[in-house]
Amino acid sequence: HPTQAAVDFWVVPLVLSFCFPLQVMLLVSEKSQHMREVMTMSGMRRAAFWLINWLYGYFLFLCQLLVVLAVGFGNGHRIFVFHDSGLVLLFYVIFGMAITSFACFFSTLFNNKTVAGIVACCFSFLVGLYGIILGETLVSGSQLNSDKTRAASLVPIWGAMIAQRIIGDAAPTFDGTGGHVLGLGNIGADSTTPVGSLLGMLVLDFVLYTLLC
């Protein structure tokens, strides 16, 4: 079942990062049109500008997430119906916060909307592809509690890919046997499925890239 395996291990984070290039382009477009300066001159504070754009970007992410959850639960994909649904939802909500803040930070590196869009698309695709390899390598090599994993998780897409791989591996086999139900009580750093540590890193990403904007 290659489609099921793809959904379990990498498709969901990749799909949920689709709006990353769009958000980057919108922010860079506002910068190139000097919209920020106009808003500042009209009395809007810089913090208010970023808050409005962050909320808009996060709203776009939540719209994607609703579609993904409807398809995932509707089709009975293992990662959605086997594990604690609260954990699955918490994971994607926190990932959305991290990737939205990362997009805000990423946009500060560019002045041209077209260049920003191309680079953001390439970044999202190529980093996502490497995240698949990275997640598989770290899980198979029992390096989930290593500094390498924590460093990789400073890129939100990589952190999500690694966590997704752990959750997918803990799901039962395609014939319905085996599996290890994950919930909020068994994902600590001292467990064999330290999803909690990766969630903590995604929260750190959210705080870090928010402050860097």
Side-chain angles (χ1 to χ4, degrees), residues 37-70:
E37 288 77 4
V38 173
M39 293 177 181
T40 301
M41 292 175 61
S42 63
M44 177 180 285
R45 295 183 178 180
R46 180 181 177 86
F49 168 83
W50 283 113
L51 177 61
I52 292 170
N53 280 284
W54 190 93
L55 290 174
Y56 178 70
Y58 194 58
F59 171 75
L60 293 178
F61 174 87
L62 290 178
C63 290
Q64 289 183 108
L65 180 58
L66 287 175
V67 175
V68 168
L69 291 176

mmCIF file of all heavy atoms in Angstrom, residues 37-70:
data_model
loop_
_atom_site.group_PDB
_atom_site.id
_atom_site.type_symbol
_atom_site.label_atom_id
_atom_site.label_comp_id
_atom_site.label_asym_id
_atom_site.label_seq_id
_atom_site.Cartn_x
_atom_site.Cartn_y
_atom_site.Cartn_z
ATOM 1 N N GLU A 37 5.650 50.994 5.383
ATOM 2 C CA GLU A 37 5.920 52.386 5.691
ATOM 3 C C GLU A 37 4.628 53.205 5.721
ATOM 4 O O GLU A 37 4.442 54.072 6.576
ATOM 5 C CB GLU A 37 6.887 52.983 4.661
ATOM 6 C CG GLU A 37 8.325 52.480 4.772
ATOM 7 C CD GLU A 37 8.503 51.085 4.183
ATOM 8 O OE1 GLU A 37 7.533 50.540 3.626
ATOM 9 O OE2 GLU A 37 9.620 50.543 4.298
ATOM 10 N N VAL A 38 3.736 52.904 4.762
ATOM 11 C CA VAL A 38 2.452 53.615 4.715
ATOM 12 C C VAL A 38 1.645 53.334 5.977
ATOM 13 O O VAL A 38 1.061 54.245 6.577
ATOM 14 C CB VAL A 38 1.652 53.197 3.464
ATOM 15 C CG1 VAL A 38 0.245 53.801 3.505
ATOM 16 C CG2 VAL A 38 2.376 53.634 2.193
ATOM 17 N N MET A 39 1.615 52.065 6.385
ATOM 18 C CA MET A 39 0.873 51.700 7.595
ATOM 19 C C MET A 39 1.484 52.342 8.828
ATOM 20 O O MET A 39 0.767 52.789 9.737
ATOM 21 C CB MET A 39 0.850 50.175 7.750
ATOM 22 C CG MET A 39 0.044 49.453 6.690
ATOM 23 S SD MET A 39 0.121 47.658 6.864
ATOM 24 C CE MET A 39 -0.878 47.133 5.460
ATOM 25 N N THR A 40 2.828 52.426 8.868
ATOM 26 C CA THR A 40 3.492 53.057 10.004
ATOM 27 C C THR A 40 3.177 54.547 10.062
ATOM 28 O O THR A 40 2.905 55.100 11.139
ATOM 29 C CB THR A 40 5.021 52.857 9.908
ATOM 30 O OG1 THR A 40 5.317 51.457 9.882
ATOM 31 C CG2 THR A 40 5.716 53.483 11.104
ATOM 32 N N MET A 41 3.171 55.182 8.899
ATOM 33 C CA MET A 41 2.857 56.612 8.847
ATOM 34 C C MET A 41 1.410 56.878 9.239
ATOM 35 O O MET A 41 1.090 57.957 9.749
ATOM 36 C CB MET A 41 3.122 57.143 7.438
ATOM 37 C CG MET A 41 4.599 57.168 7.057
ATOM 38 S SD MET A 41 4.875 57.651 5.331
ATOM 39 C CE MET A 41 4.173 59.297 5.312
ATOM 40 N N SER A 42 0.545 55.895 9.012
ATOM 41 C CA SER A 42 -0.866 56.081 9.379
ATOM 42 C C SER A 42 -1.126 55.738 10.845
ATOM 43 O O SER A 42 -2.271 55.806 11.294
ATOM 44 C CB SER A 42 -1.754 55.209 8.486
ATOM 45 O OG SER A 42 -1.476 53.833 8.682
ATOM 46 N N GLY A 43 -0.069 55.366 11.557
ATOM 47 C CA GLY A 43 -0.223 55.142 12.991
ATOM 48 C C GLY A 43 -0.188 53.691 13.429
ATOM 49 O O GLY A 43 -0.248 53.415 14.625
ATOM 50 N N MET A 44 -0.082 52.762 12.487
ATOM 51 C CA MET A 44 -0.045 51.344 12.859
ATOM 52 C C MET A 44 1.348 50.962 13.337
ATOM 53 O O MET A 44 2.341 51.295 12.713
ATOM 54 C CB MET A 44 -0.441 50.446 11.683
ATOM 55 C CG MET A 44 -0.360 48.961 11.996
ATOM 56 S SD MET A 44 -0.840 47.901 10.607
ATOM 57 C CE MET A 44 -2.626 48.124 10.639
ATOM 58 N N ARG A 45 1.415 50.254 14.435
ATOM 59 C CA ARG A 45 2.697 49.818 14.960
ATOM 60 C C ARG A 45 3.207 48.608 14.174
ATOM 61 O O ARG A 45 2.437 47.868 13.593
ATOM 62 C CB ARG A 45 2.568 49.451 16.434
ATOM 63 C CG ARG A 45 2.226 50.640 17.334
ATOM 64 C CD ARG A 45 2.189 50.223 18.791
ATOM 65 N NE ARG A 45 1.902 51.355 19.662
ATOM 66 C CZ ARG A 45 1.810 51.267 20.990
ATOM 67 N NH1 ARG A 45 1.970 50.076 21.568
ATOM 68 N NH2 ARG A 45 1.552 52.330 21.712
ATOM 69 N N ARG A 46 4.535 48.423 14.213
ATOM 70 C CA ARG A 46 5.159 47.311 13.500
ATOM 71 C C ARG A 46 4.638 45.966 14.014
ATOM 72 O O ARG A 46 4.386 45.048 13.237
ATOM 73 C CB ARG A 46 6.676 47.390 13.678
ATOM 74 C CG ARG A 46 7.454 46.279 12.987
ATOM 75 C CD ARG A 46 8.948 46.423 13.235
ATOM 76 N NE ARG A 46 9.697 45.330 12.651
ATOM 77 C CZ ARG A 46 10.118 45.295 11.406
ATOM 78 N NH1 ARG A 46 9.857 46.308 10.602
ATOM 79 N NH2 ARG A 46 10.802 44.270 10.939
ATOM 80 N N ALA A 47 4.456 45.883 15.336
ATOM 81 C CA ALA A 47 3.964 44.634 15.935
ATOM 82 C C ALA A 47 2.566 44.293 15.424
ATOM 83 O O ALA A 47 2.247 43.125 15.177
ATOM 84 C CB ALA A 47 3.962 44.739 17.459
ATOM 85 N N ALA A 48 1.732 45.316 15.251
ATOM 86 C CA ALA A 48 0.374 45.095 14.762
ATOM 87 C C ALA A 48 0.394 44.598 13.319
ATOM 88 O O ALA A 48 -0.402 43.729 12.934
ATOM 89 C CB ALA A 48 -0.433 46.393 14.861
ATOM 90 N N PHE A 49 1.319 45.135 12.522
ATOM 91 C CA PHE A 49 1.453 44.688 11.135
ATOM 92 C C PHE A 49 1.781 43.203 11.071
ATOM 93 O O PHE A 49 1.160 42.449 10.321
ATOM 94 C CB PHE A 49 2.555 45.501 10.439
ATOM 95 C CG PHE A 49 2.966 44.937 9.110
ATOM 96 C CD1 PHE A 49 2.238 45.217 7.965
ATOM 97 C CD2 PHE A 49 4.088 44.108 9.001
ATOM 98 C CE1 PHE A 49 2.612 44.693 6.738
ATOM 99 C CE2 PHE A 49 4.471 43.580 7.779
ATOM 100 C CZ PHE A 49 3.734 43.878 6.643
ATOM 101 N N TRP A 50 2.770 42.768 11.857
ATOM 102 C CA TRP A 50 3.167 41.357 11.847
ATOM 103 C C TRP A 50 2.075 40.464 12.414
ATOM 104 O O TRP A 50 1.869 39.341 11.945
ATOM 105 C CB TRP A 50 4.468 41.171 12.626
ATOM 106 C CG TRP A 50 5.681 41.608 11.868
ATOM 107 C CD1 TRP A 50 6.510 42.649 12.150
ATOM 108 C CD2 TRP A 50 6.193 41.024 10.659
ATOM 109 N NE1 TRP A 50 7.502 42.757 11.208
ATOM 110 C CE2 TRP A 50 7.338 41.774 10.283
ATOM 111 C CE3 TRP A 50 5.796 39.944 9.867
ATOM 112 C CZ2 TRP A 50 8.086 41.463 9.149
ATOM 113 C CZ3 TRP A 50 6.548 39.634 8.730
ATOM 114 C CH2 TRP A 50 7.675 40.384 8.385
ATOM 115 N N LEU A 51 1.379 40.962 13.439
ATOM 116 C CA LEU A 51 0.306 40.166 14.037
ATOM 117 C C LEU A 51 -0.808 39.895 13.027
ATOM 118 O O LEU A 51 -1.288 38.763 12.906
ATOM 119 C CB LEU A 51 -0.265 40.886 15.265
ATOM 120 C CG LEU A 51 -1.463 40.199 15.953
ATOM 121 C CD1 LEU A 51 -1.055 38.813 16.467
ATOM 122 C CD2 LEU A 51 -2.003 41.066 17.083
ATOM 123 N N ILE A 52 -1.194 40.928 12.298
ATOM 124 C CA ILE A 52 -2.256 40.776 11.297
ATOM 125 C C ILE A 52 -1.840 39.781 10.221
ATOM 126 O O ILE A 52 -2.604 38.886 9.834
ATOM 127 C CB ILE A 52 -2.595 42.146 10.663
ATOM 128 C CG1 ILE A 52 -3.257 43.054 11.695
ATOM 129 C CG2 ILE A 52 -3.504 41.966 9.443
ATOM 130 C CD1 ILE A 52 -3.416 44.483 11.244
ATOM 131 N N ASN A 53 -0.610 39.905 9.734
ATOM 132 C CA ASN A 53 -0.137 38.995 8.688
ATOM 133 C C ASN A 53 0.059 37.575 9.210
ATOM 134 O O ASN A 53 -0.193 36.612 8.487
ATOM 135 C CB ASN A 53 1.177 39.524 8.092
ATOM 136 C CG ASN A 53 0.964 40.629 7.079
ATOM 137 O OD1 ASN A 53 0.570 40.389 5.949
ATOM 138 N ND2 ASN A 53 1.189 41.863 7.508
ATOM 139 N N TRP A 54 0.496 37.460 10.465
ATOM 140 C CA TRP A 54 0.649 36.129 11.054
ATOM 141 C C TRP A 54 -0.714 35.440 11.171
ATOM 142 O O TRP A 54 -0.855 34.266 10.833
ATOM 143 C CB TRP A 54 1.305 36.227 12.427
ATOM 144 C CG TRP A 54 1.708 34.895 12.995
ATOM 145 C CD1 TRP A 54 2.930 34.290 12.874
ATOM 146 C CD2 TRP A 54 0.888 33.986 13.740
ATOM 147 N NE1 TRP A 54 2.930 33.065 13.499
ATOM 148 C CE2 TRP A 54 1.687 32.845 14.042
ATOM 149 C CE3 TRP A 54 -0.430 34.008 14.183
ATOM 150 C CZ2 TRP A 54 1.200 31.762 14.776
ATOM 151 C CZ3 TRP A 54 -0.921 32.920 14.902
ATOM 152 C CH2 TRP A 54 -0.109 31.814 15.183
ATOM 153 N N LEU A 55 -1.697 36.180 11.655
ATOM 154 C CA LEU A 55 -3.040 35.606 11.809
ATOM 155 C C LEU A 55 -3.625 35.205 10.459
ATOM 156 O O LEU A 55 -4.282 34.170 10.346
ATOM 157 C CB LEU A 55 -3.963 36.606 12.509
ATOM 158 C CG LEU A 55 -3.673 36.856 13.991
ATOM 159 C CD1 LEU A 55 -4.553 37.977 14.529
ATOM 160 C CD2 LEU A 55 -3.890 35.579 14.809
ATOM 161 N N TYR A 56 -3.375 36.007 9.435
ATOM 162 C CA TYR A 56 -3.864 35.667 8.097
ATOM 163 C C TYR A 56 -3.178 34.400 7.584
ATOM 164 O O TYR A 56 -3.828 33.499 7.039
ATOM 165 C CB TYR A 56 -3.624 36.830 7.136
ATOM 166 C CG TYR A 56 -4.063 36.530 5.714
ATOM 167 C CD1 TYR A 56 -5.412 36.426 5.396
ATOM 168 C CD2 TYR A 56 -3.123 36.345 4.706
ATOM 169 C CE1 TYR A 56 -5.824 36.138 4.100
ATOM 170 C CE2 TYR A 56 -3.522 36.057 3.408
ATOM 171 C CZ TYR A 56 -4.874 35.958 3.107
ATOM 172 O OH TYR A 56 -5.273 35.661 1.826
ATOM 173 N N GLY A 57 -1.854 34.323 7.758
ATOM 174 C CA GLY A 57 -1.127 33.137 7.325
ATOM 175 C C GLY A 57 -1.576 31.891 8.074
ATOM 176 O O GLY A 57 -1.713 30.811 7.486
ATOM 177 N N TYR A 58 -1.818 32.051 9.367
ATOM 178 C CA TYR A 58 -2.250 30.900 10.168
ATOM 179 C C TYR A 58 -3.666 30.475 9.792
ATOM 180 O O TYR A 58 -4.002 29.289 9.824
ATOM 181 C CB TYR A 58 -2.177 31.232 11.654
ATOM 182 C CG TYR A 58 -2.271 30.021 12.556
ATOM 183 C CD1 TYR A 58 -1.350 28.972 12.438
ATOM 184 C CD2 TYR A 58 -3.262 29.924 13.520
ATOM 185 C CE1 TYR A 58 -1.431 27.866 13.259
ATOM 186 C CE2 TYR A 58 -3.345 28.813 14.347
ATOM 187 C CZ TYR A 58 -2.426 27.794 14.216
ATOM 188 O OH TYR A 58 -2.504 26.689 15.024
ATOM 189 N N PHE A 59 -4.495 31.442 9.426
ATOM 190 C CA PHE A 59 -5.847 31.124 8.962
ATOM 191 C C PHE A 59 -5.790 30.271 7.698
ATOM 192 O O PHE A 59 -6.530 29.294 7.559
ATOM 193 C CB PHE A 59 -6.631 32.411 8.698
ATOM 194 C CG PHE A 59 -7.950 32.197 8.011
ATOM 195 C CD1 PHE A 59 -9.038 31.690 8.711
ATOM 196 C CD2 PHE A 59 -8.101 32.492 6.658
ATOM 197 C CE1 PHE A 59 -10.260 31.472 8.079
ATOM 198 C CE2 PHE A 59 -9.308 32.283 6.020
ATOM 199 C CZ PHE A 59 -10.400 31.773 6.736
ATOM 200 N N LEU A 60 -4.892 30.632 6.773
ATOM 201 C CA LEU A 60 -4.731 29.835 5.554
ATOM 202 C C LEU A 60 -4.284 28.417 5.898
ATOM 203 O O LEU A 60 -4.764 27.439 5.316
ATOM 204 C CB LEU A 60 -3.703 30.482 4.622
ATOM 205 C CG LEU A 60 -4.076 31.836 4.004
ATOM 206 C CD1 LEU A 60 -2.925 32.359 3.144
ATOM 207 C CD2 LEU A 60 -5.358 31.724 3.174
ATOM 208 N N PHE A 61 -3.375 28.305 6.859
ATOM 209 C CA PHE A 61 -2.911 26.983 7.284
ATOM 210 C C PHE A 61 -4.065 26.172 7.867
ATOM 211 O O PHE A 61 -4.214 24.982 7.559
ATOM 212 C CB PHE A 61 -1.796 27.122 8.322
ATOM 213 C CG PHE A 61 -1.367 25.808 8.908
ATOM 214 C CD1 PHE A 61 -0.391 25.047 8.274
ATOM 215 C CD2 PHE A 61 -1.944 25.315 10.068
ATOM 216 C CE1 PHE A 61 0.005 23.821 8.798
ATOM 217 C CE2 PHE A 61 -1.555 24.089 10.595
ATOM 218 C CZ PHE A 61 -0.584 23.342 9.952
ATOM 219 N N LEU A 62 -4.882 26.794 8.712
ATOM 220 C CA LEU A 62 -5.992 26.069 9.332
ATOM 221 C C LEU A 62 -7.009 25.602 8.293
ATOM 222 O O LEU A 62 -7.607 24.527 8.455
ATOM 223 C CB LEU A 62 -6.672 26.954 10.379
ATOM 224 C CG LEU A 62 -5.859 27.244 11.648
ATOM 225 C CD1 LEU A 62 -6.632 28.181 12.577
ATOM 226 C CD2 LEU A 62 -5.504 25.953 12.382
ATOM 227 N N CYS A 63 -7.195 26.385 7.237
ATOM 228 C CA CYS A 63 -8.096 25.955 6.162
ATOM 229 C C CYS A 63 -7.558 24.692 5.500
ATOM 230 O O CYS A 63 -8.310 23.748 5.227
ATOM 231 C CB CYS A 63 -8.241 27.074 5.123
ATOM 232 S SG CYS A 63 -9.176 28.510 5.701
ATOM 233 N N GLN A 64 -6.245 24.669 5.249
ATOM 234 C CA GLN A 64 -5.629 23.457 4.707
ATOM 235 C C GLN A 64 -5.794 22.287 5.664
ATOM 236 O O GLN A 64 -6.103 21.167 5.256
ATOM 237 C CB GLN A 64 -4.129 23.676 4.498
ATOM 238 C CG GLN A 64 -3.731 24.584 3.378
ATOM 239 C CD GLN A 64 -2.216 24.631 3.282
ATOM 240 O OE1 GLN A 64 -1.632 24.080 2.363
ATOM 241 N NE2 GLN A 64 -1.566 25.282 4.233
ATOM 242 N N LEU A 65 -5.559 22.558 6.950
ATOM 243 C CA LEU A 65 -5.615 21.506 7.961
ATOM 244 C C LEU A 65 -7.008 20.883 8.039
ATOM 245 O O LEU A 65 -7.139 19.656 8.181
ATOM 246 C CB LEU A 65 -5.213 22.068 9.329
ATOM 247 C CG LEU A 65 -5.230 21.083 10.503
ATOM 248 C CD1 LEU A 65 -4.299 19.909 10.230
ATOM 249 C CD2 LEU A 65 -4.848 21.797 11.796
ATOM 250 N N LEU A 66 -8.047 21.699 7.945
ATOM 251 C CA LEU A 66 -9.413 21.173 7.992
ATOM 252 C C LEU A 66 -9.662 20.195 6.851
ATOM 253 O O LEU A 66 -10.281 19.145 7.039
ATOM 254 C CB LEU A 66 -10.417 22.324 7.939
ATOM 255 C CG LEU A 66 -10.548 23.172 9.209
ATOM 256 C CD1 LEU A 66 -11.490 24.345 8.968
ATOM 257 C CD2 LEU A 66 -11.046 22.327 10.381
ATOM 258 N N VAL A 67 -9.167 20.542 5.666
ATOM 259 C CA VAL A 67 -9.328 19.643 4.511
ATOM 260 C C VAL A 67 -8.560 18.349 4.737
ATOM 261 O O VAL A 67 -9.072 17.246 4.499
ATOM 262 C CB VAL A 67 -8.851 20.339 3.221
ATOM 263 C CG1 VAL A 67 -8.891 19.362 2.048
ATOM 264 C CG2 VAL A 67 -9.704 21.564 2.921
ATOM 265 N N VAL A 68 -7.318 18.472 5.219
ATOM 266 C CA VAL A 68 -6.483 17.292 5.467
ATOM 267 C C VAL A 68 -7.128 16.386 6.520
ATOM 268 O O VAL A 68 -7.174 15.158 6.358
ATOM 269 C CB VAL A 68 -5.070 17.719 5.917
ATOM 270 C CG1 VAL A 68 -4.289 16.520 6.450
ATOM 271 C CG2 VAL A 68 -4.318 18.356 4.758
ATOM 272 N N LEU A 69 -7.643 16.967 7.599
ATOM 273 C CA LEU A 69 -8.272 16.171 8.647
ATOM 274 C C LEU A 69 -9.536 15.482 8.140
ATOM 275 O O LEU A 69 -9.801 14.319 8.478
ATOM 276 C CB LEU A 69 -8.605 17.062 9.850
ATOM 277 C CG LEU A 69 -7.419 17.606 10.640
ATOM 278 C CD1 LEU A 69 -7.897 18.552 11.739
ATOM 279 C CD2 LEU A 69 -6.599 16.472 11.253
ATOM 280 N N ALA A 70 -10.313 16.200 7.334
ATOM 281 C CA ALA A 70 -11.543 15.611 6.795
ATOM 282 C C ALA A 70 -11.220 14.411 5.910
ATOM 283 O O ALA A 70 -11.860 13.350 6.005
ATOM 284 C CB ALA A 70 -12.313 16.659 6.000
#
